[in-house]
Amino acid sequence: MSYDFSHFGSRVFNDRVMRDKLSKGTYLSLRRSIDEGHPLEPAVAEVVASAMKDWAVEQGATHFTHWFQPMTTFTAGKHDSFIAPTKEGLGILEFSGKELIVGEPDASSFPSGGLRNTFEARGYTSWDCTSPAFVREGTLYIPTAFYAYTGEALDTKTPLLRSNEAVNKQALRVLRAFGNTQATRVSPTVGAEQEYFLIDREKYEQRLDLKLCGRTLFGARPAKGQEMEDHYCGRIRLRVRQFMRDLDEALWELGVPCKTEHNEAAPAQHELAPVFEAVNVACDHNQLTMEVIREVAKKNGLACLLHEKPFQGVNGSGKHNNWSLSTNDGQNLLDPGKTPYENMQFLVFLSAVISAVDDYADLLRMSAANAGNDFRLGGHEAPPGIISIYLGEQLTDVLEHIAHGDVVDQTPSGILETGVATLPKLPRDGSDRNRTSPFAFTGNKFEFRMVGSSASVAISSYVLNTIVADALCKIADRLERCTDFDAEIQKIVQETVRDHGRIIFNGNNYTDEWVEEAARRGLPNLHNTVDAITAMIAPKNIAVMERHHVMSSAECHSRYEIMLENYCKILNIEAATMCEMSRRQILPAAIRFTGGLAESFSSLKAAGIENRSVRDLAQLLSDDISEADRLTGELERALERCAESADLLENARYHRDCIRRLMEKLREVADRMEKFVAASEWPIPTYADLLYRV
Ligand code: ADP
Ligand code: MG
């Protein structure tokens, strides 16, 4: 029996449903709001709300929720029912235009970084009609932006939507300068590839660290890691196949276009890649994917780990943000194109990206910073903390030729026009691949590979949109004023190579030589989250956010504080979990086992057998027990001192330098003990249990 693909989007209030359920006038009015960003007339909202409710009820919905993305990694929303009791005691269903458009959750319970005080807790959610509503488990989900009473953003969507406007405005200016009058809208597109681990649910439930922190805080390396390279794109096991099938079905219903599923490099690691979409929808869909994936795993007796580094010693997980710009008439602005004219336009957009990434490398690095990602970046499995761009040899060559002016044919008919005609053919596909670059050109888009698997892609997307908008703005200023258009373009490309060429690196980013080379080039190397976060409040970065109305200075500062706070909270929870596991599981098991050794030693001795190995092993474990006990105590005291500093940055540094170091030391001792304690006595599932049981 063939699969019924008509399920795709069956739970989405999409264009087809809108056409079907709304009158032509209402439909066109809503469409204009979606496509051109016009505010919706209240009367229209009323009609849309009513149609949306009727449709949702047909889908089995009893509730609705304003779904939003506060500055945590999760989404939120309270669920209200459609029920409105009448005087007669009957229940009728109600859903007004106002309920569709605005909501009023309590903002004080979400991180605001000083933007909200509890006594002025009002926050609003407002409908983002550019991302379609959908029904999930009896609830109508209405995608919304979340902001404070004063209008300040409290979420990841608001700056994203603002950055879309910024890049649209500047990209259109550049297109107009090229004489393109057809395109009326330029939108970023994003395809977010998602990596994750799948492990057995029962084993997962037995580990406090996995349940509370999403990663293993203890665990000796298994005899087999990923050295055989047999997992990447290997045969997918039956249980995982069943899971992937259920996941596809659940996501397809919700209109999430998942396309590719395969095994990743580490054992138990997998990847899901969707077809790219408009950035705002892609970000919502990635959030939804992260939620659905956990649930489907649970239903299949599995647990999905979205943490950046669930297991030491094997690769961690990332999320690749594939990013491009496209016009509403279907042109991908990062596609080299076939004609010299298209090539020229491509080179201008490419120059904009190159200069933007060089000028704001620190901000882009910040967009991928979180406590979990610190274990990946620079760990020889993911790019280091240094941002650079991979263009491929061919394209780099083309740029250098233009920069040096060697391809320019000096005919009187205008420089670059003929120059471009003599360009080597621009590479049409990124066949020469480089998997080590944090920011790689892959033929018709850039792939930003630093983002952590649990992070929202909205952050790196709004940073990219904004910095590229800024670069395009400078280019548009020049193109609008210049007298010789072709010569100006040549100059733009030349200056980009001259002033920003240092950001281009086509070699292996995982090597130590690159780290040294990058330092010589003056590229920032932000090793860890705490250092990376400070980019959020660097004056030039606040300025670019303000210039394009993406975030105010206050909003940048609030995000900075929230990121530091989150970092400290995560390390706090991890350290406390470690102490608990050490005191209540690992130490007792080690003590019991060592006691058993001592008894064996005595009874052997009583039988006239002197066994030194038994005694030595007991001594070794006994020493480790003392050391683990001492380190646990030290960590406990260090945690008590956390609250002492009122300065957020200082506190974050304390977590990074003191707490994390102690955690590493404690783990080392515990992992050593694991290797000697009998398997039957070890209190928690081992790496082999976790990585090879599905
Ligand atoms: P690979 O990285 O293995 O070559 P693809 O190039 O097919 O795979 O795509 C990787 C991801 O990039 C997919 O999610 C795809 O939808 C996305 N993608 C492709 N084209 C674009 C584009 N123009 N804008 C944004 N994302 C894109
Ligand atoms: Mg990829």
Side-chain angles (χ1 to χ4, degrees):
M1 201 180 70
S2 61
Y3 181 78
D4 182 5
F5 279 99
S6 68
H7 288 307
F8 186 83
S10 62
R11 302 239 155 218
V12 185
F13 194 75
N14 54 22
D15 195 70
R16 185 175 48 81
V17 179
M18 287 180 207
R19 260 179 220 274
D20 196 35
K21 303 280 179 190
L22 301 171
S23 71
K24 184 141 190 232
T26 309
Y27 168 76
L28 288 176
S29 183
L30 176 57
R31 202 64 251 174
R32 249 165 43 99
S33 295
I34 296 172
D35 297 336
E36 293 159 38
H38 294 289
L40 205 62
E41 307 262 330
V44 176
E46 210 58 54
V47 182
V48 174
S50 166
M52 203 188 266
K53 179 205 67 197
D54 291 345
W55 168 82
V57 169
E58 277 169 29
Q59 297 281 326
T62 51
H63 289 68
F64 69 93
T65 184
H66 272 205
W67 188 54
F68 60 98
Q69 292 153 31
M71 292 182 268
T72 60
T73 52
F74 298 104
T75 64
K78 63 175 194 267
H79 294 216
D80 286 311
S81 78
F82 292 122
I83 286 284
T86 64
K87 273 205 278 301
E88 298 79 33
L90 301 172
I92 57 160
L93 300 182
E94 246 181 31
F95 184 52
S96 67
K98 186 172 172 295
E99 283 173 302
L100 168 63
I101 292 180
V102 280
E104 218 178 296
D106 177 359
S108 65
S109 317
F110 296 100
S112 72
L115 284 180
R116 308 292 318 130
N117 288 317
T118 23
F119 60 87
E120 43 178 18
R122 216 153 358 145
Y124 292 94
T125 49
S126 85
W127 181 31
D128 161 28
C129 62
T130 61
S131 179
F134 54 91
V135 169
R136 216 182 134 217
E137 289 171 347
T139 298
L140 168 67
Y141 281 69
I142 303 157
T144 58
F146 179 45
Y147 53 91
Y149 179 62
T150 48
E152 277 149 341
L154 297 174
D155 65 354
T156 53
K157 190 191 268 282
T158 306
L160 179 65
L161 293 174
R162 292 177 188 157
S163 72
N164 283 348
E165 291 312 309
V167 75
N168 168 55
K169 182 172 162 195
Q170 304 305 336
L172 279 180
R173 284 179 64 204
V174 171
L175 289 181
R176 295 288 180 265
F178 269 92
N180 179 332
T181 49
Q182 263 172 351
T184 54
R185 178 104 199 152
V186 172
S187 316
T189 49
V190 159
E193 298 167 71
Q194 175 75 50
E195 291 177 343
Y196 59 92
F197 279 84
L198 270 188
I199 60 170
D200 186 76
R201 186 94 203 167
E202 217 177 289
K203 297 278 177 296
Y204 166 87
E205 296 287 352
Q206 291 166 31
R207 290 203 52 144
L208 195 63
D209 49 3
L210 286 178
K211 285 195 290 182
L212 299 188
C213 314
R215 74 176 181 104
T216 54
L217 301 169
F218 296 103
R221 295 196 187 177
K224 183 181 176 201
Q226 62 188 57
E227 55 283 277
M228 299 297 288
E229 296 177 344
D230 54 355
H231 196 255
Y232 184 74
C233 289
R235 191 180 64 83
I236 300 177
R237 283 163 201 270
L238 201 62
R239 219 172 140 195
V240 175
R241 259 201 327 256
Q242 182 59 47
F243 156 85
M244 285 179 174
R245 205 188 157 80
D246 291 354
L247 179 64
D248 279 341
E249 265 178 49
L251 287 173
W252 285 341
E253 263 188 11
L254 297 169
V256 180
C258 3
K259 180 89 180 158
T260 315
E261 312 238 24
H262 64 76
N263 288 355
E264 256 304 324
Q269 193 184 29
H270 309 278
E271 179 183 301
L272 179 151
V275 177
F276 70 94
E277 300 175 279
V279 58
N280 178 37
V281 178
C283 290
D284 281 1
H285 279 170
N286 181 252
Q287 290 288 352
L288 198 52
T289 300
M290 291 196 284
E291 287 176 29
V292 172
I293 209 168
R294 285 196 181 101
E295 285 172 15
V296 173
K298 194 170 179 184
K299 281 184 193 147
N300 280 274
L302 299 163
C304 173
L305 307 177
L306 291 167
H307 193 280
E308 284 73 17
K309 192 77 177 179
F311 303 102
Q312 211 172 57
V314 298
N315 277 6
S317 302
K319 181 161 352 206
H320 293 172
N321 183 344
N322 292 275
W323 180 93
S324 190
L325 290 173
S326 73
T327 64
N328 59 335
D329 57 351
Q331 197 187 355
N332 178 351
L333 298 174
L334 291 177
D335 195 319
K338 292 178 210 75
T339 63
Y341 171 85
E342 285 171 342
N343 281 345
M344 209 152 77
Q345 188 185 292
F346 162 73
L347 289 172
V348 164
F349 278 91
L350 183 69
S351 299
V353 176
I354 294 170
S355 61
V357 171
D358 185 37
D359 283 339
Y360 298 101
D362 56 342
L363 199 54
L364 200 55
R365 165 68 182 89
M366 180 284 300
S367 78
N370 69 28
N373 227 6
D374 282 0
F375 298 105
R376 278 180 73 235
L377 301 181
H380 294 260
E381 56 171 274
I386 308 163
I387 298 273
S388 64
I389 301 180
Y390 169 84
L391 285 183
E393 302 297 340
Q394 245 183 313
L395 193 53
T396 308
D397 216 39
V398 171
L399 286 183
E400 268 163 14
H401 275 304
I402 301 176
H404 299 134
D406 3 326
V407 289
V408 177
D409 189 2
Q410 300 286 358
T411 55
S413 64
I415 300 175
L416 198 76
E417 206 187 305
T418 45
V420 167
T422 61
L423 279 182
K425 240 178 106 156
L426 288 185
R428 286 280 306 159
D429 73 78
S431 50
D432 44 348
R433 290 240 158 193
N434 175 327
R435 294 265 166 216
T436 68
S437 176
F439 198 77
F441 183 67
T442 51
N444 59 5
K445 61 185 182 291
F446 277 96
E447 183 170 4
F448 182 42
R449 304 199 178 109
M450 259 190 190
V451 184
S453 49
S454 73
S456 158
V457 258
I459 304 169
S460 50
S461 300
Y462 69 67
V463 166
L464 271 172
N465 293 349
T466 308
I467 64 179
V468 171
D470 195 61
L472 289 171
C473 174
K474 288 184 201 146
I475 291 174
D477 287 346
R478 293 173 65 167
L479 295 180
E480 283 165 2
R481 272 199 309 259
C482 70
T483 44
D484 186 339
F485 189 74
D486 292 353
E488 194 64 26
I489 286 177
Q490 168 136 14
K491 262 208 269 174
I492 288 169
V493 177
Q494 268 174 347
E495 285 170 22
T496 303
V497 175
R498 187 191 67 205
D499 301 338
H500 303 286
R502 63 174 189 162
I503 196 81
I504 299 169
F505 178 65
N506 295 321
N508 183 351
N509 292 65
Y510 294 179
T511 62
D512 295 336
E513 290 78 55
W514 166 235
V515 175
E516 288 159 26
E517 165 71 19
R520 273 195 296 280
R521 294 188 187 188
L523 299 176
N525 183 0
L526 298 165
H527 292 281
N528 59 75
T529 293
V530 181
D531 290 347
I533 290 172
T534 53
M536 191 70 253
I537 52 162
K540 74 170 175 59
N541 296 339
I542 294 180
V544 74
M545 289 291 167
E546 288 201 309
R547 213 158 36 240
H548 298 281
H549 311 289
V550 174
M551 284 199 280
S552 66
S553 173
E555 286 171 326
C556 291
H557 276 96
S558 93
R559 260 150 236 262
Y560 164 78
E561 286 181 19
I562 288 165
M563 284 188 285
L564 287 176
E565 262 168 25
N566 278 347
Y567 179 82
C568 294
K569 280 183 199 158
I570 288 167
L571 264 79
N572 242 283
I573 295 169
E574 288 187 348
T577 306
M578 248 189 142
C579 291
E580 180 168 347
M581 288 173 76
S582 168
R583 288 253 178 262
R584 305 189 55 206
Q585 294 186 296
I586 293 172
L587 280 170
I591 292 167
R592 211 178 312 122
F593 180 69
T594 311
L597 286 175
E599 273 169 31
S600 304
F601 180 73
S602 308
S603 36
L604 285 170
K605 200 169 182 177
I609 304 167
E610 175 83 26
N611 189 312
R612 278 163 168 268
S613 299
V614 177
R615 198 197 57 196
D616 290 352
L617 183 56
Q619 185 62 57
L620 189 136
L621 278 167
S622 168
D623 291 348
D624 276 349
I625 287 168
S626 305
E627 182 64 0
D629 175 53
R630 189 185 67 75
L631 286 166
T632 308
E634 220 181 297
L635 189 54
E636 284 161 347
R637 285 188 297 281
L639 274 174
E640 278 163 20
R641 287 197 301 274
C642 283
E644 281 171 16
S645 169
D647 183 83
L648 267 178
L649 184 59
E650 201 180 296
N651 201 16
R653 286 189 179 136
Y654 172 77
H655 279 81
R656 177 193 66 191
D657 299 334
C658 175
I659 303 279
R660 246 185 82 169
R661 197 148 309 149
L662 281 172
M663 287 172 66
E664 278 163 19
K665 282 192 191 160
L666 175 56
R667 176 174 187 155
E668 208 183 298
V669 182
D671 289 359
R672 193 164 56 220
M673 292 195 288
E674 184 190 325
K675 291 190 174 143
F676 293 103
V677 172
S680 57
E681 309 240 353
W682 194 247
I684 50 176
T686 63
Y687 267 32
D689 295 330
L690 297 169
L691 291 170
Y692 298 103
R693 278 300 168 84
V694 174

